[in-house]
Amino acid sequence: MTQPAMFLAHGSPTLAIEDNNYTQFLKQLIQQLPRRPRAVVVFSAHFDSPVQAVSNDDVHETMHDFYGFPEEMYGIDYPAPGDRELSKQIGDLFADNNLPYEMSSGRGLDHGVWVFLRTLFPKADVPVVELSVDSRRSPAEQYAIGKMLTQLRQENVLVIGSGGLVHNLRLLDSGASSPADWAVEFDEWIGQQLQDWNLRMLFDYERRAPHVRKAVPVYANEHFAPLLYAMGAADDERRAVKLFQDYQYGSISLNCWVFGGTVSK
């Protein structure tokens, strides 16, 4: 059975120590997949590089790439194994499609990866390969890179894009009791294009989506990019299902979209 591709919002780093509706959802998410994946490949918003990077470690270190958070956050260790064979396979797929890439060793997993993997796989016993995104590429190019990895899903590899569809730290409202209207409108517009698999509109989202500069500010568009990489990995099926939606601080969108494959809702 083919694994889906997936977009997961990673929210605030404190997601790693929180108990809320989203973390409860994540704890059950693996049970909704057709089977336990043999490995996970993650395009992370926090690994933005003009050259496609592929992690290539036996065991990943844990990056604490944030500041000003509770002290316990800096003591968290998530020593997930890598998979050098899978890393090589991914590199070969990129090379076959004329995409320059480089192997990346010793960097570790950034919080855009381990924060939610720690909830999905608390024993850190599933191999992980982290991939960079390039926020300067066009949406069509980002989608095309994800498409290069389509066959991995048939080999029981879960492909995930980790970011945030609405991610503007300058508009956070810690006292908000409900999400901002503009954030909901943007999410709903994106959701409609995903369900329709309307690539023409999605690739032009920066001109067409409502409230786009509030939702995806220029300084943070790397958080939107993983959606397109993950979506491309399911180009063979072109089916999108939303499994979860919530908000933090009035506008940080916490959502899970799955593309292709088989999931139970």
Side-chain angles (χ1 to χ4, degrees):
M1 292 170 35
T2 303
Q3 289 286 357
M6 184 178 298
F7 174 81
L8 281 174
H10 59 249
S12 165
T14 54
L15 189 72
I17 59 174
E18 292 173 345
D19 181 13
N20 55 36
N21 290 340
Y22 191 43
T23 59
Q24 290 301 315
F25 162 78
L26 291 174
K27 288 177 181 178
Q28 301 299 317
L29 180 57
I30 296 306
Q31 299 175 23
Q32 297 175 258
L33 298 179
R35 53 180 167 158
R36 181 179 174 87
R38 71 172 180 85
V40 181
V41 172
V42 185
F43 287 98
S44 174
H46 290 278
F47 194 0
D48 194 358
S49 170
V51 177
Q52 181 63 58
V54 182
S55 72
N56 190 36
D57 293 304
D58 289 322
V59 179
H60 295 287
E61 295 183 1
T62 304
M63 296 176 64
H64 301 97
D65 51 334
F66 42 76
Y67 59 91
F69 286 88
E71 189 63 31
E72 64 181 298
M73 294 288 299
Y74 301 93
I76 293 176
D77 187 32
Y78 189 77
D83 186 329
R84 289 183 183 270
E85 187 174 324
L86 178 57
S87 294
K88 181 181 183 304
Q89 182 183 2
I90 291 170
D92 290 344
L93 290 171
F94 288 152
D96 289 345
N97 287 277
N98 299 312
L99 177 69
Y101 73 95
E102 60 185 16
M103 290 294 176
S104 173
S105 299
R107 176 181 181 271
L109 298 180
D110 58 63
H111 79 268
V113 179
W114 66 260
V115 159
F116 66 82
L117 285 185
R118 185 169 177 263
T119 302
L120 295 178
F121 307 106
K123 295 181 180 179
D125 56 354
V126 175
V128 179
V129 175
E130 180 172 357
L131 304 180
S132 64
V133 299
D134 184 356
S135 61
R136 291 157 291 277
R137 287 186 180 271
S138 70
E141 290 175 312
Q142 293 164 349
Y143 182 97
I145 292 172
K147 185 178 177 180
M148 296 174 192
L149 304 186
T150 301
Q151 76 175 62
L152 297 182
R153 297 174 32 246
Q154 290 147 14
E155 300 172 13
N156 197 25
V157 174
L158 180 62
V159 178
I160 297 176
S162 168
L165 299 190
V166 182
H167 189 87
N168 189 337
L169 301 184
R170 296 175 185 173
L171 295 180
L172 299 186
D173 180 0
S174 60
S177 59
S178 59
D181 290 344
W182 60 265
V184 174
E185 288 178 28
F186 178 83
D187 257 334
E188 289 180 345
W189 188 90
I190 294 295
Q192 188 61 59
Q193 312 319 312
L194 295 178
Q195 289 173 334
D196 295 341
W197 211 272
N198 191 334
L199 298 181
R200 182 177 64 85
M201 295 291 279
L202 274 172
F203 290 170
D204 199 24
Y205 81 95
E206 290 186 289
R207 289 195 310 128
R208 296 179 179 273
H211 314 292
V212 65
R213 278 300 158 243
K214 284 186 175 181
V216 188
V218 174
Y219 69 84
N221 64 357
E222 74 282 352
H223 275 76
F224 188 88
L227 172 76
L228 295 159
Y229 285 89
M231 198 179 177
D235 181 78
D236 58 333
E237 294 189 66
R238 297 196 167 196
R239 183 176 66 256
V241 177
K242 181 166 66 175
L243 293 186
F244 186 89
Q245 179 69 66
D246 203 352
Y247 294 87
Q248 284 183 314
Y249 310 117
S251 62
I252 294 294
S253 182
L254 298 178
N255 44 30
C256 172
W257 282 90
V258 293
F259 307 117
T262 302
V263 294
S264 57
K265 294 186 70 173

